[in-house]
Amino acid sequence: MKINNLGSMGVNPYKRSLEKSAQAAQKPQTKEDKVEISAKAIDLQQSNEITKARQKKVQALKNQVENGTYTIDPKAIAKGLLDFYKK
């Protein structure tokens, strides 16, 4: 016969874990994605000068390719590759 039954009265670890999981299931878990864009990036996006210059350059290259006047400078390409891999 046990007189001092310490620590085991009313303790059920399985019941506690079930209660915790039930509480976690009741709370709605809303996770949101968040993107922050710096002020400088916003300025770059909104600057029309860069996009206009880029569009003009692309259009000029398209015209050269369509006309067959676009030429490739192999020396400039080789120099660029060497500079890239030497760094």
Side-chain angles (χ1 to χ4, degrees), residues 27-84:
K27 293 180 184 177
Q29 303 247 347
T30 57
K31 293 185 179 181
E32 296 179 2
D33 292 334
K34 186 176 180 180
V35 175
E36 294 181 11
I37 300 175
S38 68
K40 189 173 184 178
I42 292 172
D43 289 341
L44 286 173
Q45 277 184 329
Q46 293 176 351
S47 68
N48 290 330
E49 295 174 17
I50 295 172
T51 56
K52 287 180 182 178
R54 184 177 292 155
Q55 288 175 352
K56 286 180 184 178
K57 187 174 182 178
V58 168
Q59 189 60 40
L61 289 172
K62 281 184 181 180
N63 290 338
Q64 288 178 359
V65 170
E66 287 175 358
N67 296 337
T69 59
Y70 180 74
T71 58
I72 299 171
D73 185 11
K75 289 183 181 181
I77 293 172
K79 184 180 182 301
L81 286 171
L82 284 173
D83 291 343
F84 177 78

